[in-house]
Every structure is written in C-alpha cells, then in structure tokens.
Amino acid sequence: MSTLLVLQHEDCEPLGFIEDSLRELDLTFQYIRPYAGDVVPAEMEETCGLIVLGGPQGAYEIAQYPYLADEIRLIQDAVRREIPVLGACLGAQLLAAALGARVYPGAQKEIGWYPVTLTEAAGEDPIWGAVASRFMALHWHGDVFDLPEGATRLASSEMTPNQAFRFGRSAYGIQWHMEMTEAIIKETARESEAWFRSCGIDPNEILGGVQEHLPNLSRVAGIVFRGWAKLSV
C-alpha cells in the first residue's frame, strides 16, 4: 500500500482531524519533521499524497529555514505528477509559493474565530460542493498569499481574500485551521501564550469559541478531508 507523506513544522501541530479521515480509508502516512532534522525527500516516488501542515515559519523565510526550499520542490514534484496535495495554513502558503504566487505578511494578523464564505466555484467543486456556503472558522495566521495563476479561489474572509484554493484536480490549500482538535487548540494556545500577549491578543478569545464553533467546523473538516483523502486511494 502506498503511503502519504506529511510535512510537519512544529510538535504541537500534527494531523488532527485529517488523521481520522486517513484512517477511515485505511491510508498509511509518514511524518517528515524537517525542523527536527528529518530530510525532505527529493521526489514523490511511491507515495499517494502529500500533506503540508501549519507552523510558525514564513514561506519566504528560506534563508532562516533552508528546508522550506526542499519542501517547495517536493510540492512542485507532487503537482507535476498530479499526486494529491493538501496544504493547511503554512502548508497552503507553501503550496501557493510552489505554484509561483507571492507570499507575504498581511496588513494585520487574522487570529480568532471569523466566518469564511465559499465562492460559487466551491459549490461546483467535488470536495467543497457539499459544504454550507458560510461558516465560522479558526484563523491563526499573519501571512497571506496571492492566488496562484491558474488556481481556483474557493473561499474568502473579510480580512483575507484568498482563504482556500484548488490547483488542477487535486492540489488544495486552506488558510484557516480546521484540522485542529480541541486538544490541539488548547496545547497550541498554551505554547503560544507569550506570543499572543506580545501581539495584544488574549488566547482565551480563541479558547472561548471552541465549544460554540468547533463542532460544526469539525463536521466541515470531515467532509473536506474525507473528500481529499479519497483522491489518494
């Protein structure tokens, strides 16, 4: 059985809800942790999918994190081979960069629970078509990206026009976090508390929305992640 590769960028941001969908379809996966010294494979041979998770790095910070250049090359190889790619937050930014789009700091950080609105194109997408056109999502990013040439915009928010996109048949980028379980949200908020305070943000604003918003967001996640995982079967 082929294996999916998972590029992880910090300990507190694993697959989360994505793992549930992979296991439902009996898909195996292998974490690659470049920040901990793992070598990024040169190409996607004998793999059936690539998942690129979030993290504190910037897609443009290659001088500080040289392994990001290797990740971008691996994403490009997956796209060339039409192997399914799923990028979450930083992963979406790296996918955009791999497709030639600009990634840069946004005018302001988008952190907290804010609604996203799906585009008309999302209604016709084989994965997103079954999702309600507007729902509350968890945002946790400071960087944004231009829509890659040839990509289809799937979702926007008031602060960020490019929240989700598809390139080709099976490469998807999602800027917000819907892979995070309640436990991951709490751990990441705890790990990031000092950073939140330095930005003038109370982490309790995120934790306070978990009970209200996460159940529906996790349902959306199940639809989307299962749909994407089926592309890898």
Side-chain angles (χ1 to χ4, degrees), residues 46 50 54 62 67 69 87 103 105 118 121 123 125 127 132 138 146 163 166 194 207 218 227:
E46 299 183 4
L50 177 64
I62 292 175
Y67 55 78
V103 182
L118 301 187
D125 185 83
I127 292 176
L138 176 59
D146 294 335
Q163 280 284 356
R166 184 192 73 244
L207 298 176
S218 66

Side-chain angles (χ1 to χ4, degrees), residues 32-227:
I32 307 292
R33 299 179 173 93
Y35 65 95
D38 289 352
V39 175
V40 177
E43 53 188 22
M44 290 289 295
E45 287 188 347
E46 299 183 4
T47 56
C48 61
L50 177 64
I51 299 171
V52 190
L53 297 174
Q57 303 88 339
Y60 45 81
E61 295 181 316
I62 292 175
Q64 185 174 353
Y65 307 105
Y67 55 78
L68 293 178
D70 297 328
E71 293 190 27
I72 288 172
R73 282 194 291 270
L74 185 64
I75 294 169
Q76 291 170 335
D77 185 62
V79 171
R80 279 194 299 268
R81 295 172 185 261
E82 298 186 340
I83 293 172
V85 179
L86 176 63
C89 201
L90 171 60
Q93 297 158 14
L94 288 167
L95 174 59
L99 295 171
R102 185 171 64 112
V103 182
Y104 52 97
Q108 58 183 315
K109 291 180 172 63
E110 188 174 24
I111 300 174
W113 296 93
Y114 301 105
V116 294
T117 302
L118 301 187
T119 63
E120 290 186 9
E124 301 174 357
D125 185 83
I127 292 176
W128 287 96
V131 176
S133 61
R134 186 175 171 86
F135 55 89
M136 196 68 73
L138 176 59
H139 304 265
W140 206 321
H141 68 97
D143 291 341
V144 295
F145 53 83
D146 294 335
L147 186 69
E149 184 176 353
T152 300
R153 181 184 292 108
L154 298 174
S156 301
S157 69
E158 185 174 342
M159 292 187 200
T160 308
N162 299 316
Q163 280 284 356
F165 68 93
R166 184 192 73 244
F167 184 85
R169 185 185 70 88
S170 59
Y172 286 83
I174 304 169
Q175 177 82 297
W176 69 87
H177 287 283
M178 62 180 184
E179 81 286 358
M180 287 186 169
T181 63
E182 181 174 356
I184 293 172
I185 293 171
K186 289 180 176 178
E187 181 182 359
T188 307
R190 183 170 58 250
E191 293 284 337
S192 306
E193 183 172 0
W195 179 81
F196 277 132
R197 301 294 184 189
S198 70
C199 297
I201 299 170
D202 184 352
N204 290 319
E205 293 179 9
I206 288 179
L207 298 176
V210 168
Q211 296 303 317
E212 181 180 0
H213 302 306
L214 188 60
N216 183 64
L217 186 60
S218 66
R219 284 191 288 272
V220 173
I223 294 170
V224 172
F225 295 148
R226 279 194 299 273

Side-chain angles (χ1 to χ4, degrees), residues 2-54:
S2 294
T3 297
L4 290 100
L5 296 183
V6 181
L7 298 177
Q8 186 176 5
H9 297 101
E10 62 177 347
D11 290 345
C12 61
E13 292 199 46
L15 282 167
F17 285 125
I18 302 174
E19 182 173 341
D20 295 343
S21 296
L22 301 182
R23 294 195 181 281
E24 284 180 20
L25 295 171
D26 293 324
L27 289 167
T28 60
F29 56 88
Q30 175 188 353
Y31 277 108
I32 307 292
R33 299 179 173 93
Y35 65 95
D38 289 352
V39 175
V40 177
E43 53 188 22
M44 290 289 295
E45 287 188 347
E46 299 183 4
T47 56
C48 61
L50 177 64
I51 299 171
V52 190
L53 297 174

